[in-house]
Structure formats: structure tokens, C-alpha cells
Amino acid sequence: MNQNLQKVMGCALILSLLSLLTACGRTSSGASNAELYGSAVAALADDEAFAIVEAGAKNPVLLASSQLLDGGQTAAFCDVYYAADGEAKKIGSIDDPETTAPLSCDASGIYATGEQQVLRYEIKEEGLLELSEAVYIRYDDSGRECYEKTAEGNTTQITKEEFLSFEEKAQKAEPILFHYGASGS
């Protein structure tokens, strides 16, 4: 098949996938996912998979990753794009070396978890990606576990129960499933 026909078919596939990937095909502004992110998805490299998620922001959020876990549909790292002012822009990355579990999301944001941490990212009204809340297991000088929470620039000590509660919230969030675009894989 010639390359131009492949590109046209790939773009058509991308646009149809974009309209189906989220539970709500229309955003609060009335634009479809294809209108918001079609050109951004078409510009992804062949080895990049994408997901469009509802994560508590005004518009859905586009995530792209070339590092899927175990050849599946989940990722621990991704670039984050957000549509504002008529175009989709890369607003950051979720790329923490301690992240070991698949990314997940709910209405409060996107979660990245590891063996000793849980991070929650939000898209702020200005279209900025922000690490809004994080909990960590730390070790004191004698090797005992202690627990910390960082939010709004402040770090406080928390209980093990508070850490486990936040971890449970992240585990209950929906795993983010990534899909390939133009490559059709």
C-alpha cells in the first residue's frame, strides 16, 4: 500500500479512536476529542501509544508514552498534553524513576505509584501539570519507617494509616490504557 494512502487511513483511524476513547466524547467546551487532539496524536512517533483521560480538568488530557509495561497497554511514564486556547500543548511529563506501577486516574488527577511513594498530578486551570500531592515512606537514622506527605509546598509527617489510605485511593483509580495510533498495532 502506498505511503500516502497509509497516512490517510492512519489519520482516519486516529480520529475514530479519539472519539471513542473516553466515556464522554465531548468536552465541557463542546469540542470533540478528535478536534482537541487529532493533530497531536497524528504527530506522535510510530512507537508512541496514547490515551485520553478525564482527570478532573476542564478538558480531557492526552497522555503519550513509548514505554509500555510488559508489551501491554499500561505505562509508568508519559508525556502530558492539554488542549487550551485552540491547540494541544505538551505541558510536562510524568517520569519519576521510583514509579513502578501503571499510571491510573480518577476525577482528582493522575496517579504514579512506586514501592515507597504515591504521587498525584493535577491539571490546573491555567493548563499546567502540577504534582499536587505526594506521600512517601522514608527511613530515619535508625532504619525505622516514617511517613511524609507533601502538598502545596509543605511537607508534614503522617501516619502509616494515612499513607495506606492514599495508596488505596490510587489503587482504586482506573488504570490508564494506552493505544497505538497510525501504526495500527
Side-chain angles (χ1 to χ4, degrees):
M1 181 180 304
N2 83 32
Q3 286 186 334
N4 288 336
L5 184 57
Q6 275 185 316
K7 286 183 180 180
V8 169
M9 289 177 58
C11 285
L13 175 63
I14 289 169
L15 293 175
S16 62
L17 280 172
L18 284 171
S19 64
L20 297 173
L21 282 179
T22 59
C24 176
R26 291 258 170 222
T27 67
S28 58
S29 64
S32 71
N33 292 334
E35 292 167 326
L36 292 173
Y37 294 115
S39 60
V41 170
L44 295 175
D46 284 342
D47 68 338
E48 285 184 286
F50 70 93
I52 298 178
V53 299
E54 299 286 341
K58 179 180 176 185
N59 290 321
V61 179
L62 171 65
L63 308 175
S65 181
S66 60
Q67 300 177 20
L68 297 185
L69 298 174
D70 298 324
Q73 289 185 291
T74 60
F77 309 100
C78 70
D79 290 327
V80 181
Y81 298 82
Y82 190 69
D85 300 325
E87 67 178 302
K89 295 179 185 174
K90 181 179 173 185
I91 60 171
S93 296
I94 297 175
D95 188 9
D96 187 291
E98 298 295 321
T99 299
T100 56
L103 299 171
S104 60
C105 74
D106 64 16
S108 70
I110 300 168
Y111 294 93
T113 60
E115 292 178 25
Q116 298 179 14
Q117 69 180 23
V118 181
L119 312 173
R120 185 174 60 85
Y121 293 86
E122 289 181 11
I123 310 302
K124 295 299 184 180
E125 268 190 52
E126 309 83 39
L128 301 173
L129 178 67
E130 181 178 287
L131 176 57
S132 59
E133 195 172 17
V135 295
Y136 304 96
I137 299 174
R138 303 283 193 215
Y139 296 91
D140 64 17
D141 293 338
S142 61
R144 288 184 305 227
E145 285 185 351
C146 54
Y147 302 89
E148 293 179 348
K149 177 180 179 178
T150 301
E152 300 175 8
N154 299 316
T155 300
T156 58
Q157 297 296 312
I158 60 172
T159 66
K160 181 177 183 177
E161 290 74 24
E162 289 171 307
F163 177 89
L164 293 173
S165 176
F166 194 75
E167 183 179 55
E168 183 179 347
K169 184 176 178 185
Q171 289 171 348
K172 287 183 179 180
E174 287 290 319
I176 297 171
L177 300 179
F178 288 78
H179 306 275
Y180 285 101
S183 70
S185 303

mmCIF file of all heavy atoms in Angstrom, residues 84-128:
data_model
loop_
_atom_site.group_PDB
_atom_site.id
_atom_site.type_symbol
_atom_site.label_atom_id
_atom_site.label_comp_id
_atom_site.label_asym_id
_atom_site.label_seq_id
_atom_site.Cartn_x
_atom_site.Cartn_y
_atom_site.Cartn_z
ATOM 1 N N ALA A 84 -5.791 23.821 25.195
ATOM 2 C CA ALA A 84 -6.262 25.107 25.705
ATOM 3 C C ALA A 84 -5.991 26.150 24.627
ATOM 4 O O ALA A 84 -5.012 26.048 23.886
ATOM 5 C CB ALA A 84 -5.549 25.469 27.002
ATOM 6 N N ASP A 85 -6.842 27.119 24.546
ATOM 7 C CA ASP A 85 -6.699 28.186 23.563
ATOM 8 C C ASP A 85 -6.582 27.652 22.135
ATOM 9 O O ASP A 85 -5.802 28.158 21.327
ATOM 10 C CB ASP A 85 -5.484 29.073 23.889
ATOM 11 C CG ASP A 85 -5.595 29.723 25.264
ATOM 12 O OD1 ASP A 85 -6.726 30.059 25.662
ATOM 13 O OD2 ASP A 85 -4.560 29.880 25.932
ATOM 14 N N GLY A 86 -7.334 26.608 21.834
ATOM 15 C CA GLY A 86 -7.416 26.105 20.478
ATOM 16 C C GLY A 86 -6.300 25.190 20.019
ATOM 17 O O GLY A 86 -6.273 24.794 18.856
ATOM 18 N N GLU A 87 -5.357 24.843 20.876
ATOM 19 C CA GLU A 87 -4.307 23.920 20.461
ATOM 20 C C GLU A 87 -3.865 23.029 21.615
ATOM 21 O O GLU A 87 -3.977 23.390 22.774
ATOM 22 C CB GLU A 87 -3.110 24.672 19.877
ATOM 23 C CG GLU A 87 -2.359 25.524 20.872
ATOM 24 C CD GLU A 87 -1.147 26.208 20.252
ATOM 25 O OE1 GLU A 87 -0.267 25.504 19.724
ATOM 26 O OE2 GLU A 87 -1.101 27.437 20.308
ATOM 27 N N ALA A 88 -3.357 21.862 21.243
ATOM 28 C CA ALA A 88 -2.844 20.914 22.237
ATOM 29 C C ALA A 88 -1.358 21.192 22.439
ATOM 30 O O ALA A 88 -0.597 21.244 21.479
ATOM 31 C CB ALA A 88 -3.058 19.486 21.766
ATOM 32 N N LYS A 89 -0.964 21.371 23.689
ATOM 33 C CA LYS A 89 0.433 21.655 24.012
ATOM 34 C C LYS A 89 0.938 20.639 25.024
ATOM 35 O O LYS A 89 0.204 20.238 25.918
ATOM 36 C CB LYS A 89 0.564 23.039 24.642
ATOM 37 C CG LYS A 89 0.208 24.176 23.734
ATOM 38 C CD LYS A 89 0.359 25.494 24.464
ATOM 39 C CE LYS A 89 -0.116 26.630 23.596
ATOM 40 N NZ LYS A 89 -0.123 27.903 24.306
ATOM 41 N N LYS A 90 2.220 20.276 24.861
ATOM 42 C CA LYS A 90 2.846 19.430 25.866
ATOM 43 C C LYS A 90 3.066 20.296 27.102
ATOM 44 O O LYS A 90 3.696 21.347 27.035
ATOM 45 C CB LYS A 90 4.173 18.871 25.367
ATOM 46 C CG LYS A 90 4.847 17.962 26.375
ATOM 47 C CD LYS A 90 6.148 17.401 25.834
ATOM 48 C CE LYS A 90 6.878 16.646 26.922
ATOM 49 N NZ LYS A 90 8.193 16.193 26.469
ATOM 50 N N ILE A 91 2.516 19.841 28.234
ATOM 51 C CA ILE A 91 2.615 20.639 29.457
ATOM 52 C C ILE A 91 3.526 19.999 30.494
ATOM 53 O O ILE A 91 3.695 20.543 31.582
ATOM 54 C CB ILE A 91 1.222 20.911 30.056
ATOM 55 C CG1 ILE A 91 0.504 19.604 30.400
ATOM 56 C CG2 ILE A 91 0.399 21.778 29.117
ATOM 57 C CD1 ILE A 91 -0.771 19.786 31.185
ATOM 58 N N GLY A 92 4.107 18.856 30.172
ATOM 59 C CA GLY A 92 5.023 18.222 31.105
ATOM 60 C C GLY A 92 5.098 16.726 30.893
ATOM 61 O O GLY A 92 4.557 16.190 29.928
ATOM 62 N N SER A 93 5.774 16.092 31.828
ATOM 63 C CA SER A 93 5.948 14.639 31.792
ATOM 64 C C SER A 93 5.749 14.068 33.181
ATOM 65 O O SER A 93 6.036 14.735 34.173
ATOM 66 C CB SER A 93 7.358 14.274 31.317
ATOM 67 O OG SER A 93 7.564 14.699 30.006
ATOM 68 N N ILE A 94 5.248 12.862 33.221
ATOM 69 C CA ILE A 94 5.219 12.087 34.460
ATOM 70 C C ILE A 94 6.311 11.054 34.262
ATOM 71 O O ILE A 94 6.172 10.132 33.464
ATOM 72 C CB ILE A 94 3.839 11.458 34.702
ATOM 73 C CG1 ILE A 94 2.788 12.562 34.868
ATOM 74 C CG2 ILE A 94 3.886 10.535 35.920
ATOM 75 C CD1 ILE A 94 1.369 12.069 34.985
ATOM 76 N N ASP A 95 7.432 11.268 34.931
ATOM 77 C CA ASP A 95 8.635 10.494 34.656
ATOM 78 C C ASP A 95 9.484 10.414 35.916
ATOM 79 O O ASP A 95 10.560 10.974 35.993
ATOM 80 C CB ASP A 95 9.415 11.168 33.523
ATOM 81 C CG ASP A 95 10.582 10.322 33.053
ATOM 82 O OD1 ASP A 95 10.694 9.152 33.462
ATOM 83 O OD2 ASP A 95 11.396 10.844 32.272
ATOM 84 N N ASP A 96 8.971 9.735 36.926
ATOM 85 C CA ASP A 96 9.689 9.600 38.185
ATOM 86 C C ASP A 96 10.350 8.224 38.227
ATOM 87 O O ASP A 96 9.678 7.215 38.008
ATOM 88 C CB ASP A 96 8.707 9.762 39.351
ATOM 89 C CG ASP A 96 9.410 9.811 40.680
ATOM 90 O OD1 ASP A 96 9.953 8.771 41.101
ATOM 91 O OD2 ASP A 96 9.424 10.884 41.298
ATOM 92 N N PRO A 97 11.648 8.152 38.515
ATOM 93 C CA PRO A 97 12.332 6.854 38.494
ATOM 94 C C PRO A 97 11.812 5.862 39.539
ATOM 95 O O PRO A 97 12.049 4.667 39.415
ATOM 96 C CB PRO A 97 13.798 7.212 38.759
ATOM 97 C CG PRO A 97 13.781 8.561 39.370
ATOM 98 C CD PRO A 97 12.545 9.248 38.871
ATOM 99 N N GLU A 98 11.107 6.332 40.546
ATOM 100 C CA GLU A 98 10.556 5.443 41.572
ATOM 101 C C GLU A 98 9.215 4.829 41.167
ATOM 102 O O GLU A 98 8.719 3.935 41.834
ATOM 103 C CB GLU A 98 10.385 6.207 42.888
ATOM 104 C CG GLU A 98 11.682 6.728 43.465
ATOM 105 C CD GLU A 98 12.631 5.621 43.892
ATOM 106 O OE1 GLU A 98 12.169 4.606 44.441
ATOM 107 O OE2 GLU A 98 13.839 5.779 43.653
ATOM 108 N N THR A 99 8.605 5.324 40.083
ATOM 109 C CA THR A 99 7.316 4.800 39.645
ATOM 110 C C THR A 99 7.498 3.405 39.092
ATOM 111 O O THR A 99 8.297 3.196 38.184
ATOM 112 C CB THR A 99 6.680 5.727 38.595
ATOM 113 O OG1 THR A 99 6.473 7.012 39.175
ATOM 114 C CG2 THR A 99 5.347 5.176 38.108
ATOM 115 N N THR A 100 6.758 2.452 39.653
ATOM 116 C CA THR A 100 6.901 1.060 39.228
ATOM 117 C C THR A 100 5.576 0.434 38.800
ATOM 118 O O THR A 100 5.564 -0.625 38.186
ATOM 119 C CB THR A 100 7.487 0.206 40.369
ATOM 120 O OG1 THR A 100 6.659 0.345 41.524
ATOM 121 C CG2 THR A 100 8.915 0.633 40.685
ATOM 122 N N ALA A 101 4.467 1.070 39.117
ATOM 123 C CA ALA A 101 3.154 0.527 38.795
ATOM 124 C C ALA A 101 2.546 1.328 37.643
ATOM 125 O O ALA A 101 2.948 2.462 37.386
ATOM 126 C CB ALA A 101 2.245 0.607 40.018
ATOM 127 N N PRO A 102 1.573 0.760 36.948
ATOM 128 C CA PRO A 102 0.925 1.501 35.866
ATOM 129 C C PRO A 102 0.272 2.788 36.367
ATOM 130 O O PRO A 102 -0.264 2.836 37.483
ATOM 131 C CB PRO A 102 -0.132 0.529 35.347
ATOM 132 C CG PRO A 102 0.349 -0.815 35.749
ATOM 133 C CD PRO A 102 1.061 -0.603 37.055
ATOM 134 N N LEU A 103 0.306 3.813 35.529
ATOM 135 C CA LEU A 103 -0.390 5.058 35.835
ATOM 136 C C LEU A 103 -1.889 4.788 35.915
ATOM 137 O O LEU A 103 -2.408 3.911 35.223
ATOM 138 C CB LEU A 103 -0.118 6.094 34.742
ATOM 139 C CG LEU A 103 1.338 6.505 34.554
ATOM 140 C CD1 LEU A 103 1.489 7.354 33.293
ATOM 141 C CD2 LEU A 103 1.845 7.247 35.770
ATOM 142 N N SER A 104 -2.570 5.558 36.759
ATOM 143 C CA SER A 104 -4.019 5.435 36.881
ATOM 144 C C SER A 104 -4.590 6.832 37.058
ATOM 145 O O SER A 104 -3.855 7.796 37.275
ATOM 146 C CB SER A 104 -4.392 4.535 38.060
ATOM 147 O OG SER A 104 -3.891 5.065 39.268
ATOM 148 N N CYS A 105 -5.910 6.959 36.944
ATOM 149 C CA CYS A 105 -6.511 8.283 37.137
ATOM 150 C C CYS A 105 -7.933 8.164 37.658
ATOM 151 O O CYS A 105 -8.582 7.134 37.528
ATOM 152 C CB CYS A 105 -6.466 9.113 35.864
ATOM 153 S SG CYS A 105 -7.618 8.626 34.593
ATOM 154 N N ASP A 106 -8.376 9.239 38.262
ATOM 155 C CA ASP A 106 -9.765 9.412 38.668
ATOM 156 C C ASP A 106 -10.074 10.899 38.517
ATOM 157 O O ASP A 106 -9.274 11.649 37.950
ATOM 158 C CB ASP A 106 -10.029 8.875 40.083
ATOM 159 C CG ASP A 106 -9.277 9.592 41.179
ATOM 160 O OD1 ASP A 106 -8.752 10.715 40.952
ATOM 161 O OD2 ASP A 106 -9.207 9.051 42.292
ATOM 162 N N ALA A 107 -11.208 11.322 39.015
ATOM 163 C CA ALA A 107 -11.618 12.712 38.860
ATOM 164 C C ALA A 107 -10.702 13.699 39.581
ATOM 165 O O ALA A 107 -10.740 14.890 39.308
ATOM 166 C CB ALA A 107 -13.055 12.886 39.343
ATOM 167 N N SER A 108 -9.845 13.213 40.473
ATOM 168 C CA SER A 108 -8.961 14.122 41.201
ATOM 169 C C SER A 108 -7.585 14.257 40.555
ATOM 170 O O SER A 108 -6.802 15.109 40.957
ATOM 171 C CB SER A 108 -8.806 13.668 42.655
ATOM 172 O OG SER A 108 -8.048 12.482 42.730
ATOM 173 N N GLY A 109 -7.251 13.410 39.569
ATOM 174 C CA GLY A 109 -5.965 13.544 38.910
ATOM 175 C C GLY A 109 -5.385 12.230 38.432
ATOM 176 O O GLY A 109 -6.071 11.218 38.336
ATOM 177 N N ILE A 110 -4.087 12.270 38.142
ATOM 178 C CA ILE A 110 -3.343 11.131 37.613
ATOM 179 C C ILE A 110 -2.376 10.651 38.690
ATOM 180 O O ILE A 110 -1.651 11.454 39.275
ATOM 181 C CB ILE A 110 -2.564 11.537 36.347
ATOM 182 C CG1 ILE A 110 -3.541 12.042 35.269
ATOM 183 C CG2 ILE A 110 -1.738 10.359 35.815
ATOM 184 C CD1 ILE A 110 -2.866 12.726 34.101
ATOM 185 N N TYR A 111 -2.378 9.340 38.940
ATOM 186 C CA TYR A 111 -1.537 8.750 39.988
ATOM 187 C C TYR A 111 -0.353 7.998 39.390
ATOM 188 O O TYR A 111 -0.505 7.257 38.422
ATOM 189 C CB TYR A 111 -2.344 7.754 40.827
ATOM 190 C CG TYR A 111 -3.436 8.381 41.632
ATOM 191 C CD1 TYR A 111 -4.721 8.476 41.124
ATOM 192 C CD2 TYR A 111 -3.187 8.880 42.909
ATOM 193 C CE1 TYR A 111 -5.739 9.055 41.872
ATOM 194 C CE2 TYR A 111 -4.196 9.452 43.655
ATOM 195 C CZ TYR A 111 -5.464 9.542 43.123
ATOM 196 O OH TYR A 111 -6.473 10.120 43.870
ATOM 197 N N ALA A 112 0.801 8.192 40.022
ATOM 198 C CA ALA A 112 2.010 7.422 39.720
ATOM 199 C C ALA A 112 2.465 6.833 41.051
ATOM 200 O O ALA A 112 2.650 7.560 42.024
ATOM 201 C CB ALA A 112 3.083 8.323 39.130
ATOM 202 N N THR A 113 2.619 5.516 41.102
ATOM 203 C CA THR A 113 2.960 4.879 42.374
ATOM 204 C C THR A 113 4.228 4.047 42.249
ATOM 205 O O THR A 113 4.584 3.579 41.173
ATOM 206 C CB THR A 113 1.821 3.968 42.882
ATOM 207 O OG1 THR A 113 1.581 2.944 41.914
ATOM 208 C CG2 THR A 113 0.544 4.744 43.095
ATOM 209 N N GLY A 114 4.873 3.886 43.373
ATOM 210 C CA GLY A 114 6.061 3.061 43.469
ATOM 211 C C GLY A 114 6.014 2.302 44.782
ATOM 212 O O GLY A 114 5.024 2.375 45.521
ATOM 213 N N GLU A 115 7.069 1.604 45.079
ATOM 214 C CA GLU A 115 7.095 0.816 46.311
ATOM 215 C C GLU A 115 7.070 1.686 47.553
ATOM 216 O O GLU A 115 6.575 1.271 48.596
ATOM 217 C CB GLU A 115 8.322 -0.081 46.323
ATOM 218 C CG GLU A 115 8.261 -1.175 45.279
ATOM 219 C CD GLU A 115 9.501 -2.035 45.273
ATOM 220 O OE1 GLU A 115 10.181 -2.129 46.304
ATOM 221 O OE2 GLU A 115 9.784 -2.634 44.214
ATOM 222 N N GLN A 116 7.607 2.907 47.465
ATOM 223 C CA GLN A 116 7.699 3.762 48.646
ATOM 224 C C GLN A 116 7.089 5.147 48.438
ATOM 225 O O GLN A 116 7.405 6.077 49.181
ATOM 226 C CB GLN A 116 9.166 3.895 49.060
ATOM 227 C CG GLN A 116 9.759 2.565 49.429
ATOM 228 C CD GLN A 116 11.223 2.688 49.814
ATOM 229 O OE1 GLN A 116 11.744 3.755 50.062
ATOM 230 N NE2 GLN A 116 11.892 1.551 49.896
ATOM 231 N N GLN A 117 6.208 5.277 47.458
ATOM 232 C CA GLN A 117 5.609 6.581 47.209
ATOM 233 C C GLN A 117 4.324 6.470 46.419
ATOM 234 O O GLN A 117 4.111 5.492 45.705
ATOM 235 C CB GLN A 117 6.566 7.474 46.436
ATOM 236 C CG GLN A 117 6.767 7.000 45.007
ATOM 237 C CD GLN A 117 7.712 7.882 44.243
ATOM 238 O OE1 GLN A 117 8.526 8.576 44.822
ATOM 239 N NE2 GLN A 117 7.603 7.877 42.928
ATOM 240 N N VAL A 118 3.491 7.491 46.547
ATOM 241 C CA VAL A 118 2.311 7.662 45.717
ATOM 242 C C VAL A 118 2.259 9.146 45.362
ATOM 243 O O VAL A 118 2.282 10.004 46.245
ATOM 244 C CB VAL A 118 1.006 7.246 46.441
ATOM 245 C CG1 VAL A 118 -0.197 7.430 45.525
ATOM 246 C CG2 VAL A 118 1.091 5.803 46.930
ATOM 247 N N LEU A 119 2.196 9.441 44.061
ATOM 248 C CA LEU A 119 2.164 10.815 43.576
ATOM 249 C C LEU A 119 0.832 11.061 42.877
ATOM 250 O O LEU A 119 0.342 10.192 42.152
ATOM 251 C CB LEU A 119 3.299 11.053 42.574
ATOM 252 C CG LEU A 119 4.689 10.580 42.978
ATOM 253 C CD1 LEU A 119 5.665 10.737 41.818
ATOM 254 C CD2 LEU A 119 5.174 11.326 44.197
ATOM 255 N N ARG A 120 0.253 12.247 43.090
ATOM 256 C CA ARG A 120 -0.983 12.620 42.373
ATOM 257 C C ARG A 120 -0.738 13.936 41.651
ATOM 258 O O ARG A 120 -0.377 14.943 42.256
ATOM 259 C CB ARG A 120 -2.173 12.766 43.316
ATOM 260 C CG ARG A 120 -3.498 13.045 42.565
ATOM 261 C CD ARG A 120 -4.696 13.043 43.487
ATOM 262 N NE ARG A 120 -4.600 14.037 44.526
ATOM 263 C CZ ARG A 120 -4.961 15.331 44.393
ATOM 264 N NH1 ARG A 120 -5.390 15.784 43.248
ATOM 265 N NH2 ARG A 120 -4.851 16.156 45.420
ATOM 266 N N TYR A 121 -0.930 13.898 40.334
ATOM 267 C CA TYR A 121 -0.761 15.068 39.484
ATOM 268 C C TYR A 121 -2.123 15.626 39.110
ATOM 269 O O TYR A 121 -3.069 14.868 38.896
ATOM 270 C CB TYR A 121 -0.016 14.696 38.196
ATOM 271 C CG TYR A 121 1.407 14.281 38.415
ATOM 272 C CD1 TYR A 121 1.737 12.962 38.722
ATOM 273 C CD2 TYR A 121 2.446 15.207 38.297
ATOM 274 C CE1 TYR A 121 3.055 12.571 38.912
ATOM 275 C CE2 TYR A 121 3.766 14.820 38.479
ATOM 276 C CZ TYR A 121 4.056 13.503 38.790
ATOM 277 O OH TYR A 121 5.366 13.126 38.975
ATOM 278 N N GLU A 122 -2.204 16.942 38.984
ATOM 279 C CA GLU A 122 -3.419 17.618 38.537
ATOM 280 C C GLU A 122 -3.084 18.531 37.363
ATOM 281 O O GLU A 122 -1.959 19.010 37.244
ATOM 282 C CB GLU A 122 -3.992 18.506 39.645
ATOM 283 C CG GLU A 122 -4.596 17.786 40.803
ATOM 284 C CD GLU A 122 -5.168 18.755 41.838
ATOM 285 O OE1 GLU A 122 -5.277 19.967 41.566
ATOM 286 O OE2 GLU A 122 -5.487 18.285 42.936
ATOM 287 N N ILE A 123 -4.098 18.771 36.549
ATOM 288 C CA ILE A 123 -4.000 19.796 35.519
ATOM 289 C C ILE A 123 -4.719 21.010 36.095
ATOM 290 O O ILE A 123 -5.914 20.966 36.373
ATOM 291 C CB ILE A 123 -4.680 19.368 34.201
ATOM 292 C CG1 ILE A 123 -4.223 17.984 33.750
ATOM 293 C CG2 ILE A 123 -4.472 20.434 33.133
ATOM 294 C CD1 ILE A 123 -2.752 17.819 33.527
ATOM 295 N N LYS A 124 -3.984 22.074 36.291
ATOM 296 C CA LYS A 124 -4.551 23.297 36.855
ATOM 297 C C LYS A 124 -5.301 24.065 35.780
ATOM 298 O O LYS A 124 -5.120 23.834 34.585
ATOM 299 C CB LYS A 124 -3.441 24.172 37.466
ATOM 300 C CG LYS A 124 -2.774 23.515 38.659
ATOM 301 C CD LYS A 124 -3.794 23.280 39.737
ATOM 302 C CE LYS A 124 -3.192 22.722 40.992
ATOM 303 N NZ LYS A 124 -4.140 22.478 42.038
ATOM 304 N N GLU A 125 -6.148 25.010 36.191
ATOM 305 C CA GLU A 125 -6.953 25.790 35.251
ATOM 306 C C GLU A 125 -6.120 26.451 34.176
ATOM 307 O O GLU A 125 -6.564 26.609 33.051
ATOM 308 C CB GLU A 125 -7.759 26.852 36.002
ATOM 309 C CG GLU A 125 -9.125 26.376 36.398
ATOM 310 C CD GLU A 125 -9.986 27.491 36.925
ATOM 311 O OE1 GLU A 125 -10.110 28.523 36.250
ATOM 312 O OE2 GLU A 125 -10.525 27.314 38.025
ATOM 313 N N GLU A 126 -4.919 26.848 34.502
ATOM 314 C CA GLU A 126 -4.045 27.511 33.543
ATOM 315 C C GLU A 126 -3.477 26.522 32.522
ATOM 316 O O GLU A 126 -2.703 26.906 31.647
ATOM 317 C CB GLU A 126 -2.869 28.192 34.264
ATOM 318 C CG GLU A 126 -3.249 29.088 35.419
ATOM 319 C CD GLU A 126 -3.473 28.311 36.727
ATOM 320 O OE1 GLU A 126 -2.750 27.351 37.053
ATOM 321 O OE2 GLU A 126 -4.415 28.691 37.439
ATOM 322 N N GLY A 127 -3.810 25.247 32.638
ATOM 323 C CA GLY A 127 -3.284 24.234 31.746
ATOM 324 C C GLY A 127 -1.887 23.791 32.124
ATOM 325 O O GLY A 127 -1.095 23.405 31.276
ATOM 326 N N LEU A 128 -1.568 23.814 33.408
ATOM 327 C CA LEU A 128 -0.251 23.411 33.890
ATOM 328 C C LEU A 128 -0.340 22.081 34.617
ATOM 329 O O LEU A 128 -1.269 21.849 35.387
ATOM 330 C CB LEU A 128 0.312 24.467 34.848
ATOM 331 C CG LEU A 128 0.482 25.877 34.286
ATOM 332 C CD1 LEU A 128 0.877 26.845 35.388
ATOM 333 C CD2 LEU A 128 1.497 25.888 33.167
#
